[in-house]
Amino acid sequence: MKALDRAKPLEGFWEMLAAAPERLLVLDYDGTLAPFTAHREDAALYPGIAPLLIDLQRQGTHIAFVSGRPARELAGRLPLAGVEIFGAHGQEHLATTGLLTRAPLAPEARQWLDEAARHIIAAGFERALERKHGTVAIHWRREDPEGRARLTDLVTDLAQGLPGGLHGLAFDGGYEFRVRGRDKGTAIAELAARHPRALMAYLGDDITDEDAFAALPRDGLAVLVRTEPRPSRAHLWLRPPDELRGFLGAWMAATR
Ligand SMILES: [Mg+2]
């Protein structure tokens, strides 16, 4: 565990958390709470994380998720009920009531994403494709070096014809084409607006989590969870799973 921002000591955050009228813990899933696996379907929480999350929720901390996965798919992997989830990098919102809403999608953007998906399938990479609302993701973690090189070429070709309403972003283990206007940062801003009295923290591992770190309210805590640190806007870096369990345990102790 290491402070990346000396102006924000963790002890000060725990003191503020103890005194806060409301607490909101926002979490990314893949790479943060669950280690990466060759098959995304196999990604499960690190040992010991589920009971900590259950206890934190019981103790009164609001827990929400912001993930690249579709919101309902993520809901099915969680040990918690009644959590708010922003899925597909903020393109989807699953309320605590179970109501799913999706950001409007322009016909031109939808058509381009459909065509991009067809192009990837036609090149023989259906296994690498993940289709979500407002996004097409290409995963190359499972590919050999030749497959990765071919997928990189495909992505480069597709990026040339990208319409203005879409953009492309690299993530850990792949690349994604996505409708502009929603990201993990807009999800954090919505959560902050809905919980104006809450002290918030966000835990994430990836480049896409930097938008979320940047969107936190001034008193919020941004936590980078990764085996190795990297340049980041986060205030704190933790190495999973031990330091992650330690952080969640300290949250519980501060709010008991
Ligand atoms: Mg992640």
Side-chain angles (χ1 to χ4, degrees):
M1 194 172 311
K2 189 178 168 219
L4 301 177
D5 180 352
R6 291 217 186 114
K8 194 125 184 168
L10 190 56
E11 300 74 38
F13 181 79
W14 296 138
E15 280 170 26
M16 277 163 48
L17 194 69
E22 207 183 313
R23 295 142 189 146
L24 178 56
L25 177 61
V26 191
L27 302 161
D28 168 55
Y29 183 82
D30 294 276
T32 300
L33 299 186
F36 286 119
T37 54
H39 299 263
R40 284 167 49 73
E41 316 79 73
D42 298 340
L45 293 172
Y46 285 114
I49 299 296
L52 282 164
L53 296 179
I54 292 165
D55 285 352
L56 281 170
Q57 195 186 41
R58 259 193 214 135
Q59 210 178 286
T61 291
H62 292 291
I63 299 181
F65 285 82
V66 177
S67 169
R69 285 184 189 258
R72 283 227 166 97
E73 189 206 304
L74 179 59
R77 295 180 170 271
L78 298 176
L80 307 170
V83 289
E84 191 172 359
I85 299 174
F86 285 86
H89 290 111
Q91 301 285 343
E92 294 184 345
H93 176 252
L94 185 62
T96 54
T97 57
L99 179 72
L100 182 75
T101 49
R102 289 176 158 155
L105 191 55
E108 190 206 24
R110 185 191 299 268
Q111 205 177 352
W112 191 91
L113 291 168
D114 287 346
E115 274 167 25
R118 276 197 291 273
H119 192 64
I120 292 157
I121 292 167
F125 285 102
E126 188 165 6
R127 62 182 180 273
L129 181 71
E130 186 191 13
R131 194 63 218 275
K132 296 176 280 190
H133 180 71
T135 78
V136 162
I138 299 120
H139 296 269
W140 49 60
R141 193 169 292 121
R142 280 157 73 178
E143 299 296 328
D144 59 19
E146 193 195 330
R148 284 179 196 215
R150 286 188 57 208
L151 282 169
T152 307
D153 287 347
L154 268 172
V155 162
T156 309
D157 281 352
L158 285 167
Q160 312 242 327
L162 200 60
L166 294 165
H167 61 155
L169 287 143
F171 63 86
D172 222 342
Y175 198 86
E176 184 156 325
F177 293 106
R178 195 190 302 169
V179 173
R180 285 185 193 275
R182 299 275 177 135
D183 56 33
K184 289 187 168 187
T186 60
I188 290 292
E190 278 184 46
L191 280 165
R194 253 176 250 189
H195 299 271
R197 283 154 47 84
L199 184 63
M200 283 174 81
Y202 179 76
L203 276 62
D205 66 300
D206 204 343
I207 297 295
T208 60
D209 294 304
E210 293 293 327
D211 293 326
F213 294 155
L216 278 173
R218 192 181 290 262
D219 59 358
L221 183 74
V223 183
L224 178 68
V225 181
R226 270 180 87 84
T227 307
E228 293 302 325
R230 62 165 164 74
S232 170
R233 290 169 183 269
H235 304 113
L236 179 73
W237 163 57
L238 337 158
R239 186 179 274 146
D242 289 352
E243 292 179 352
L244 175 63
R245 284 189 290 259
F247 179 89
L248 297 175
W251 182 295
M252 191 119 62
T255 59
R256 191 166 277 139

